[in-house]
Amino acid sequence: MLDTIIPFTPRPAYDSKLPFSTLDKGTVALVGAGPGDPELLTIKALNMLRQAEVILYDYLVSPEILALAGSDAILVCVGKRAGSHSVPQQKTNQLLVDFAMQGYKVVRLKGGDPFIFGRGAEELEVLVDAGINFQVVPGITAAAGATAYAGIPLTHRDFAQSAMFVTGHLKAESDSFDWSTLARANQTLVVYMGLMRAEYIQNKLIESGRDKQIPIAVVEKGTTVSQKVFFGTLSELSVLAKQAEAPALVVIGEVVELGEKLQWFKPNKEALAEASAYV
Ligand code: SAH
């Protein structure tokens, strides 16, 4: 009998209501929306979305997530794509301050986690200067979400004792990366925004001693119904990057090999057809 071997915890007496925190008028919640799958929102993020009167969101936030907002909420896209800034950062900062000053309950919604390559802190500094109260709701960052849905563990007792997250938005002339650290064996390197500089990253890592046969993956639109995963080796990074569309995450390291065995997520084809009809 199982219960003679395992000491089960008695179920705690527990009020079945979900935790609920409030978003006050004239304040801002900086909220992480996770990598795409709406079910990866935190309960707190959902609570904030439901209370928000104004939501300033990035292009990475999916329509399914925006649909969870209250029906009266004002939605404003302040999205940026690499290279083409639809709304300048200063304008976004100003909108945040103006809406909060007018007494609205404001959510600033960002893809993934707001503090990971998300400029969340820069926006909060503006709020501090304007004397506006805020709270921060962390989200599942792409490095955690997209890899999990691709069956790639970021660390593994046998294959990777550390993981590093870096941005691929680097200019060759002002590259201050310590490439020998990035190229260490038994380490997982996750590159955000890495498609455009894939060839440079590939060359730098190999030059710095990373084995060119090390497995890599490019995870496109991770956790969404359109997820695609491209597997290869470091020497093929630039080729795979050309096949993938943004947003995509580059994952380099021994752990990637497990991805083929641990694949579990099957993007739903019907939902995919529906989603493309929507676009
Ligand atoms: N704050 C976000 C990252 C913003 S930078 C976070 O924590 O995830 C934007 C980059 O994130 C993209 O260029 C891509 O590299 C990565 N990214 C975001 N969502 C992704 C997704 N669903 N699948 C793969 N990569 C994603």
Side-chain angles (χ1 to χ4, degrees):
M1 281 282 286
L2 259 183
D3 58 356
T4 59
I5 309 164
I6 303 169
F8 287 117
T9 308
R11 195 185 159 97
Y14 163 71
D15 175 353
S16 68
K17 270 195 240 108
L18 288 173
F20 188 80
S21 46
T22 50
L23 175 59
D24 293 330
K25 285 203 156 288
T27 71
V28 176
L30 174 64
V31 177
D37 181 348
E39 286 186 280
L40 293 180
L41 276 174
T42 61
I43 293 168
K44 194 161 194 167
L46 184 60
N47 284 340
M48 292 297 146
L49 279 181
R50 295 237 165 110
Q51 293 172 72
E53 294 167 335
V54 176
I55 300 175
L56 301 179
Y57 68 96
D58 281 349
Y59 85 92
L60 275 180
V61 177
S62 64
E64 295 91 322
I65 288 175
L66 292 174
L68 297 169
S71 52
D72 294 337
I74 302 167
L75 304 180
V76 186
C77 180
V78 291
K80 292 181 208 64
R81 267 172 208 277
S84 65
H85 285 225
S86 54
V87 177
Q89 186 64 47
Q90 255 191 325
K91 175 87 183 162
T92 303
N93 297 348
Q94 195 57 50
L95 284 170
L96 276 173
V97 170
D98 288 351
F99 278 119
M101 291 279 200
Q102 286 170 43
Y104 286 101
K105 301 176 180 183
V106 183
V107 160
R108 174 69 177 104
L109 191 62
K110 286 177 176 276
D113 180 89
F115 279 174
I116 298 191
F117 304 123
R119 298 196 183 198
E122 291 169 43
E123 294 178 13
L124 294 186
E125 284 185 86
V126 174
L127 296 180
V128 170
D129 293 345
I132 293 163
N133 289 333
F134 60 83
Q135 52 186 309
V136 182
V137 182
I140 295 184
T141 188
T147 54
Y149 276 47
I152 301 168
L154 283 175
T155 68
H156 186 289
R157 273 202 295 173
D158 301 328
F159 303 117
Q161 287 75 44
S162 61
M164 295 186 85
F165 301 170
V166 297
T167 171
H169 254 193
L170 9 111
K171 299 190 178 78
E173 49 310 343
S174 61
D175 168 8
S176 57
F177 278 169
D178 175 358
W179 286 98
S180 61
T181 304
L182 299 187
R184 267 203 303 243
N186 295 101
Q187 169 171 275
T188 310
L189 183 63
V190 181
V191 188
Y192 287 71
M193 300 168 276
L195 292 184
M196 305 234 257
R197 304 288 297 164
E199 191 173 353
Y200 179 73
I201 293 165
Q202 169 185 332
N203 292 339
K204 280 292 207 180
L205 288 173
I206 294 172
E207 257 172 46
S208 312
R210 199 60 158 129
D211 183 348
K212 61 180 190 301
Q213 292 308 324
I214 210 74
I216 65 149
V218 179
V219 187
E220 172 184 320
K221 303 189 179 82
T223 82
T224 73
V225 290
S226 334
Q227 172 174 303
K228 282 191 198 157
V229 188
F230 304 86
F231 288 106
T233 59
L234 181 54
S235 56
E236 296 163 333
L237 173 55
S238 59
V239 178
L240 294 193
K242 284 201 187 89
Q243 293 168 22
E245 276 177 31
L249 203 65
V250 176
V251 190
I252 300 161
E254 292 79 357
V255 287
V256 172
E257 199 168 324
L258 289 158
E260 301 201 53
K261 188 168 175 191
L262 302 183
Q263 259 183 46
W264 62 271
F265 178 59
K266 310 265 178 298
N268 177 339
K269 295 271 158 50
E270 275 165 40
L272 183 57
E274 228 173 79
S276 42
Y278 183 89
V279 176

